[in-house]
PDB file of all heavy atoms in Angstrom:
ATOM      1  N   ILE J  77     243.541 -31.824 156.180  1.00 94.00           N
ATOM      2  CA  ILE J  77     243.814 -31.290 157.512  1.00 94.00           C
ATOM      3  C   ILE J  77     244.678 -30.030 157.423  1.00 94.00           C
ATOM      4  O   ILE J  77     244.406 -29.035 158.097  1.00 94.00           O
ATOM      5  CB  ILE J  77     244.457 -32.382 158.401  1.00 94.00           C
ATOM      6  CG1 ILE J  77     243.368 -33.410 158.774  1.00 94.00           C
ATOM      7  CG2 ILE J  77     245.109 -31.774 159.652  1.00 94.00           C
ATOM      8  CD1 ILE J  77     243.822 -34.545 159.663  1.00 94.00           C
ATOM      9  N   PHE J  78     245.696 -30.051 156.557  1.00 92.00           N
ATOM     10  CA  PHE J  78     246.503 -28.831 156.353  1.00 92.00           C
ATOM     11  C   PHE J  78     245.627 -27.693 155.831  1.00 92.00           C
ATOM     12  O   PHE J  78     245.751 -26.544 156.258  1.00 92.00           O
ATOM     13  CB  PHE J  78     247.628 -29.088 155.339  1.00 92.00           C
ATOM     14  CG  PHE J  78     248.782 -29.862 155.894  1.00 92.00           C
ATOM     15  CD1 PHE J  78     249.205 -31.045 155.304  1.00 92.00           C
ATOM     16  CD2 PHE J  78     249.473 -29.401 157.021  1.00 92.00           C
ATOM     17  CE1 PHE J  78     250.279 -31.761 155.806  1.00 92.00           C
ATOM     18  CE2 PHE J  78     250.545 -30.111 157.535  1.00 92.00           C
ATOM     19  CZ  PHE J  78     250.958 -31.290 156.927  1.00 92.00           C
ATOM     20  N   ASN J  79     244.750 -28.009 154.898  1.00 92.00           N
ATOM     21  CA  ASN J  79     243.908 -26.999 154.262  1.00 92.00           C
ATOM     22  C   ASN J  79     243.020 -26.275 155.284  1.00 92.00           C
ATOM     23  O   ASN J  79     242.991 -25.043 155.334  1.00 92.00           O
ATOM     24  CB  ASN J  79     243.055 -27.669 153.179  1.00 92.00           C
ATOM     25  CG  ASN J  79     242.100 -26.691 152.522  1.00 92.00           C
ATOM     26  OD1 ASN J  79     242.447 -25.534 152.282  1.00 92.00           O
ATOM     27  ND2 ASN J  79     240.887 -27.137 152.260  1.00 92.00           N
ATOM     28  N   TYR J  80     242.317 -27.056 156.115  1.00 93.00           N
ATOM     29  CA  TYR J  80     241.420 -26.418 157.089  1.00 93.00           C
ATOM     30  C   TYR J  80     242.207 -25.713 158.186  1.00 93.00           C
ATOM     31  O   TYR J  80     241.762 -24.679 158.708  1.00 93.00           O
ATOM     32  CB  TYR J  80     240.437 -27.450 157.664  1.00 93.00           C
ATOM     33  CG  TYR J  80     239.444 -27.907 156.621  1.00 93.00           C
ATOM     34  CD1 TYR J  80     239.429 -29.215 156.163  1.00 93.00           C
ATOM     35  CD2 TYR J  80     238.540 -27.001 156.067  1.00 93.00           C
ATOM     36  CE1 TYR J  80     238.537 -29.626 155.177  1.00 93.00           C
ATOM     37  CE2 TYR J  80     237.651 -27.400 155.084  1.00 93.00           C
ATOM     38  CZ  TYR J  80     237.651 -28.714 154.651  1.00 93.00           C
ATOM     39  OH  TYR J  80     236.771 -29.105 153.669  1.00 93.00           O
ATOM     40  N   THR J  81     243.385 -26.261 158.513  1.00 94.00           N
ATOM     41  CA  THR J  81     244.252 -25.574 159.476  1.00 94.00           C
ATOM     42  C   THR J  81     244.639 -24.200 158.935  1.00 94.00           C
ATOM     43  O   THR J  81     244.562 -23.197 159.643  1.00 94.00           O
ATOM     44  CB  THR J  81     245.517 -26.420 159.743  1.00 94.00           C
ATOM     45  OG1 THR J  81     245.115 -27.670 160.291  1.00 94.00           O
ATOM     46  CG2 THR J  81     246.456 -25.711 160.720  1.00 94.00           C
ATOM     47  N   ASN J  82     245.024 -24.164 157.660  1.00 91.00           N
ATOM     48  CA  ASN J  82     245.428 -22.889 157.055  1.00 91.00           C
ATOM     49  C   ASN J  82     244.283 -21.893 156.979  1.00 91.00           C
ATOM     50  O   ASN J  82     244.480 -20.690 157.179  1.00 91.00           O
ATOM     51  CB  ASN J  82     246.016 -23.127 155.662  1.00 91.00           C
ATOM     52  CG  ASN J  82     247.380 -23.768 155.740  1.00 91.00           C
ATOM     53  OD1 ASN J  82     248.084 -23.621 156.747  1.00 91.00           O
ATOM     54  ND2 ASN J  82     247.757 -24.496 154.710  1.00 91.00           N
ATOM     55  N   GLN J  83     243.081 -22.387 156.691  1.00 91.00           N
ATOM     56  CA  GLN J  83     241.926 -21.477 156.643  1.00 91.00           C
ATOM     57  C   GLN J  83     241.725 -20.811 158.006  1.00 91.00           C
ATOM     58  O   GLN J  83     241.499 -19.600 158.092  1.00 91.00           O
ATOM     59  CB  GLN J  83     240.651 -22.242 156.254  1.00 91.00           C
ATOM     60  CG  GLN J  83     240.635 -22.697 154.807  1.00 91.00           C
ATOM     61  CD  GLN J  83     239.317 -23.339 154.419  1.00 91.00           C
ATOM     62  OE1 GLN J  83     238.273 -23.073 155.015  1.00 91.00           O
ATOM     63  NE2 GLN J  83     239.349 -24.183 153.406  1.00 91.00           N
ATOM     64  N   LEU J  84     241.822 -21.627 159.068  1.00 92.00           N
ATOM     65  CA  LEU J  84     241.619 -21.073 160.413  1.00 92.00           C
ATOM     66  C   LEU J  84     242.766 -20.136 160.785  1.00 92.00           C
ATOM     67  O   LEU J  84     242.548 -19.085 161.391  1.00 92.00           O
ATOM     68  CB  LEU J  84     241.502 -22.209 161.436  1.00 92.00           C
ATOM     69  CG  LEU J  84     240.200 -23.020 161.329  1.00 92.00           C
ATOM     70  CD1 LEU J  84     240.313 -24.326 162.106  1.00 92.00           C
ATOM     71  CD2 LEU J  84     239.005 -22.220 161.837  1.00 92.00           C
ATOM     72  N   MET J  85     243.991 -20.500 160.388  1.00 88.00           N
ATOM     73  CA  MET J  85     245.153 -19.645 160.657  1.00 88.00           C
ATOM     74  C   MET J  85     244.971 -18.281 160.011  1.00 88.00           C
ATOM     75  O   MET J  85     245.334 -17.250 160.568  1.00 88.00           O
ATOM     76  CB  MET J  85     246.433 -20.269 160.071  1.00 88.00           C
ATOM     77  CG  MET J  85     246.917 -21.486 160.783  1.00 88.00           C
ATOM     78  SD  MET J  85     247.779 -21.084 162.290  1.00 88.00           S
ATOM     79  CE  MET J  85     249.422 -20.882 161.674  1.00 88.00           C
ATOM     80  N   SER J  86     244.404 -18.260 158.801  1.00 80.00           N
ATOM     81  CA  SER J  86     244.287 -17.023 158.046  1.00 80.00           C
ATOM     82  C   SER J  86     243.436 -16.012 158.798  1.00 80.00           C
ATOM     83  O   SER J  86     243.639 -14.817 158.693  1.00 80.00           O
ATOM     84  CB  SER J  86     243.683 -17.301 156.670  1.00 80.00           C
ATOM     85  OG  SER J  86     242.301 -17.572 156.804  1.00 80.00           O
ATOM     86  N   ALA J  87     242.503 -16.516 159.584  1.00 71.00           N
ATOM     87  CA  ALA J  87     241.606 -15.607 160.286  1.00 71.00           C
ATOM     88  C   ALA J  87     242.039 -15.348 161.714  1.00 71.00           C
ATOM     89  O   ALA J  87     241.542 -14.432 162.362  1.00 71.00           O
ATOM     90  CB  ALA J  87     240.200 -16.180 160.301  1.00 71.00           C
ATOM     91  N   SER J  88     242.995 -16.116 162.207  1.00 70.00           N
ATOM     92  CA  SER J  88     243.370 -15.985 163.615  1.00 70.00           C
ATOM     93  C   SER J  88     244.426 -14.908 163.800  1.00 70.00           C
ATOM     94  O   SER J  88     244.886 -14.677 164.907  1.00 70.00           O
ATOM     95  CB  SER J  88     243.891 -17.316 164.150  1.00 70.00           C
ATOM     96  OG  SER J  88     245.136 -17.595 163.557  1.00 70.00           O
ATOM     97  N   GLY J  89     244.825 -14.262 162.679  1.00 61.00           N
ATOM     98  CA  GLY J  89     245.855 -13.240 162.790  1.00 61.00           C
ATOM     99  C   GLY J  89     247.250 -13.828 162.701  1.00 61.00           C
ATOM    100  O   GLY J  89     248.235 -13.120 162.732  1.00 61.00           O
ATOM    101  N   ASN J  90     247.322 -15.173 162.582  1.00 56.00           N
ATOM    102  CA  ASN J  90     248.626 -15.815 162.487  1.00 56.00           C
ATOM    103  C   ASN J  90     249.109 -15.944 161.042  1.00 56.00           C
ATOM    104  O   ASN J  90     250.118 -16.560 160.772  1.00 56.00           O
ATOM    105  CB  ASN J  90     248.600 -17.185 163.162  1.00 56.00           C
ATOM    106  CG  ASN J  90     248.701 -17.031 164.678  1.00 56.00           C
ATOM    107  OD1 ASN J  90     249.129 -15.996 165.165  1.00 56.00           O
ATOM    108  ND2 ASN J  90     248.297 -18.046 165.408  1.00 56.00           N
ATOM    109  N   SER J  91     248.354 -15.415 160.122  1.00 54.00           N
ATOM    110  CA  SER J  91     248.799 -15.387 158.735  1.00 54.00           C
ATOM    111  C   SER J  91     247.952 -14.349 157.994  1.00 54.00           C
ATOM    112  O   SER J  91     246.884 -13.966 158.442  1.00 54.00           O
ATOM    113  CB  SER J  91     248.669 -16.773 158.105  1.00 54.00           C
ATOM    114  OG  SER J  91     247.816 -16.759 156.998  1.00 54.00           O
ATOM    115  N   GLN J  92     248.443 -13.882 156.853  1.00 53.00           N
ATOM    116  CA  GLN J  92     247.730 -12.851 156.110  1.00 53.00           C
ATOM    117  C   GLN J  92     246.845 -13.493 155.059  1.00 53.00           C
ATOM    118  O   GLN J  92     247.267 -14.396 154.361  1.00 53.00           O
ATOM    119  CB  GLN J  92     248.731 -11.927 155.418  1.00 53.00           C
ATOM    120  CG  GLN J  92     249.718 -11.269 156.376  1.00 53.00           C
ATOM    121  CD  GLN J  92     249.037 -10.320 157.344  1.00 53.00           C
ATOM    122  OE1 GLN J  92     248.153  -9.570 156.943  1.00 53.00           O
ATOM    123  NE2 GLN J  92     249.414 -10.358 158.606  1.00 53.00           N
TER     124      GLN J  92
END
Side-chain angles (χ1 to χ4, degrees):
I77 287 181
F78 284 124
N79 177 39
Y80 291 114
T81 299
N82 288 335
Q83 290 185 25
L84 289 165
M85 289 282 272
S86 74
S88 70
N90 281 341
S91 120
Q92 303 295 318

